[in-house]
Amino acid sequence: SRMSPPERLEDALRRAKCVHPRAALDAAIARMASAISAEYEGGERPLYLTLMHGGMVFAAHLAVALSIDVEFDYLHATRYRGATSGGALRWIKPPQVSLRDRRVLLVDDILDEGRTLLAVREYCEGARAADVRVAVLCEKLHSRRVAGIAADYAGLTVPDRYVFGFGMDYHEQGRNLPAIYAL
């Protein structure tokens, strides 16, 4: 049985509920930027590592709200979904900057089950980063989180539903919506 194509974004939006309007996102980002800036102030310039594609919108807004200087790089990785893979990462674009002895801030849109973020953090640790922290705009509320991953900085919580907007997609649609919606 072939999967039916996803509905149009307009139709999904009609069914969706706005869970965080733009003002709430801006306030959460300001809070996070303040905490992150205070944490890294006066120390070594951190490497600001955005997880693509989902993290891009949030990462850009968070970066310009920081009061510290950061060095940018990004990565793009997906997890193999095969039964024998154990969730191994498939690298589309690994970081280009050496992580050795660096303070790394991983920036992503959402901490859901956490498999990809955990694998990326382990990759950074394996590359001998001095310190790896995780900043996410949203944490999804459920009990399926894998062991060993948590957000050091989190903006908002979202319900255990399909969420999209502000970087998160609805079948590759709606990433640039200025709010977060849930179906």
Side-chain angles (χ1 to χ4, degrees), residues 14-182:
R14 269 197 286 281
R15 295 194 299 119
K17 174 177 184 256
C18 178
V19 289
H20 294 298
R22 178 65 191 268
L25 301 177
D26 289 343
I29 289 167
R31 278 196 314 272
M32 293 178 74
S34 177
I36 291 167
S37 297
E39 184 82 31
Y40 287 93
E41 201 85 60
E44 210 157 301
R45 181 175 178 232
L47 179 61
Y48 191 89
L49 208 48
T50 302
L51 278 70
M52 299 297 274
H53 291 296
M56 180 174 65
V57 175
F58 164 59
H61 283 84
L62 179 63
V64 296
L66 294 172
S67 63
I68 55 162
D69 188 43
V70 294
E71 180 179 357
F72 285 113
D73 198 359
Y74 69 94
L75 60 90
H76 192 177
T78 58
R79 276 187 307 112
Y80 285 111
R81 302 269 185 197
T84 56
S85 69
L89 277 197
R90 180 170 71 87
W91 285 97
I92 296 165
K93 194 252 177 216
Q96 298 303 291
V97 175
S98 169
L99 306 185
R100 189 182 188 92
D101 301 325
R102 295 294 302 271
R103 296 181 79 187
V104 176
L105 182 63
L106 295 175
V107 186
D108 204 2
D109 52 359
I110 188 166
L111 178 53
D112 188 345
E113 293 183 9
R115 292 173 203 284
T116 301
L117 265 170
L118 177 62
V120 168
R121 197 188 66 207
E122 288 172 344
Y123 167 87
C124 294
E125 290 164 349
R128 312 286 295 279
D131 178 64
V132 184
R133 310 249 167 132
V134 173
V136 295
L137 178 58
C138 300
E139 287 185 294
K140 193 176 269 194
L141 297 172
H142 59 59
S143 58
R144 299 183 305 277
R145 179 94 28 92
V146 296
I149 188 72
D152 298 285
Y153 310 97
L156 301 158
T157 58
V158 291
D160 189 16
R161 288 157 58 198
Y162 193 109
V163 290
F164 62 99
F166 216 78
M168 295 171 279
D169 71 294
Y170 176 73
H171 302 288
E172 292 306 327
Q173 306 171 90
R175 283 194 198 272
N176 60 318
L177 288 165
I180 294 175
Y181 298 86

Side-chain angles (χ1 to χ4, degrees), residues 2 13 126:
R2 270 185 55 228
L13 279 167

